[in-house]
Amino acid sequence: MSASLARIGRALAGRSLTDILRLGGKTLVRHAKRLSPAARAAARADRAFDARWGTDTSAQVTMSGLDFPLELQRLSHHYQASGAHMVEVVIAAAGIAPERFTFIDYGCGKGRMVMLAAARFAAAIGVEYSPRLIAIAERNAKAFLARGGADRAPIFWQGNAAEFLPPGGDLFCYLYNSFGPEILSDCLLRLEQAKTVQASRRVLLAYVDPQHGPLVVSRGWSALAEAPGLTIFEAPSPRRP
């Protein structure tokens, strides 16, 4: 019991009352979802994915279990993998030819979406702060490729997503509510700057569980498509002087 209390104390150290209440609410929601038939079906699908490809993508990892500095923990959310079907969902919602785009998963965790995107997009990049999760994602990618899941290997970038510099060409970004408005704002700024450098490119964002969607809109991004729990945004064109 004392060890558990110590872990809880470390996880909550330095957090405000608002942060603690928000985390408590999210925990209750996660437990409620686990009890639903849809959640149980999703869990079975996750286990089937890992059994097929020899990967480890399914188990959730709480923020206290990640190797994040305390301040970054406060700005980020726990790891939970997207369902394998989400690659096809976001492609269909955006109405794109994926082979024209580089896929970027902000907060890629153990790499499931990046691996699947590598089979459909021109290139696939996973951005993740946690060295622990990056190491798991790289092992997963090797197993996925060895079993024929994709012809090209995804790329993993370890560091703060706010500092990631997007590559050239058309970009299709994916975000499963991995972090709060502070980091999100910096990521959007980087993407907007990339659009300014190469105005003809397309820069799209598939935002799943878009809790900070109003922030994206406030920066001039347009909503191209919406589905339950998903919004596809496009970066604004640079303003002419």
Side-chain angles (χ1 to χ4, degrees):
M1 177 66 72
S2 59
S4 297
L5 290 174
R7 285 196 298 272
I8 293 171
R10 288 194 298 270
L12 298 181
R15 295 181 182 271
S16 68
L17 178 59
T18 300
D19 290 335
I20 293 171
L21 291 174
R22 187 181 70 241
L23 288 170
K26 290 177 67 175
T27 300
L28 290 174
V29 169
R30 288 203 304 274
H31 285 305
K33 287 182 177 178
R34 287 172 186 161
L35 299 176
S36 71
R40 290 196 293 270
R44 288 194 296 271
D46 287 349
R47 291 193 294 270
F49 178 92
D50 283 340
R52 177 181 181 185
W53 300 111
T55 53
D56 166 22
T57 65
S58 301
Q60 291 188 14
V61 181
T62 62
M63 190 55 58
S64 61
L66 294 177
D67 39 5
F68 280 36
L70 184 60
E71 179 60 20
L72 200 56
Q73 286 189 28
R74 186 182 68 80
L75 301 176
S76 306
H77 301 155
H78 75 285
Y79 164 75
Q80 180 176 352
S82 295
H85 66 292
M86 286 303 297
V87 167
E88 299 304 326
V89 168
V90 297
I91 289 173
I96 61 165
E99 63 274 9
R100 291 182 47 202
F101 288 77
T102 294
F103 180 94
I104 305 172
D105 185 354
Y106 284 93
C108 70
K110 297 180 179 180
R112 182 190 292 167
M113 287 291 290
V114 185
M115 291 185 288
L116 291 166
R120 297 295 314 274
F121 288 79
I125 303 171
V127 176
E128 173 58 55
Y129 182 86
S130 168
R132 173 190 173 192
L133 291 180
I134 284 284
I136 295 173
E138 289 174 340
R139 291 196 297 270
N140 284 336
K142 288 181 181 179
F144 189 72
L145 266 66
R147 297 193 181 191
D151 294 329
R152 65 178 68 85
I155 299 168
F156 294 99
W157 185 91
Q158 189 272 316
N160 189 333
E163 300 172 358
F164 174 72
L165 295 177
D170 292 341
L171 303 177
F172 189 91
C173 307
Y174 182 84
L175 176 65
Y176 184 8
N177 195 36
S178 303
F179 33 71
E182 297 90 344
I183 296 176
L184 176 59
S185 293
D186 288 338
C187 292
L188 294 173
L189 176 60
R190 298 276 189 184
L191 293 169
E192 291 156 9
Q193 291 171 336
K195 177 78 172 179
T196 300
V197 171
Q198 188 181 350
S200 61
R201 72 164 68 181
R202 298 192 72 188
V203 179
L204 305 182
L205 171 65
Y207 192 174
V208 180
D209 188 15
Q211 294 186 19
H212 306 293
L215 169 62
V216 184
V217 173
S218 73
R219 299 182 64 92
W221 291 62
S222 56
L224 293 184
E226 293 187 74
L230 167 68
T231 303
I232 307 291
F233 293 101
E234 182 158 14
S237 297
R239 294 181 179 179
R240 295 181 179 179

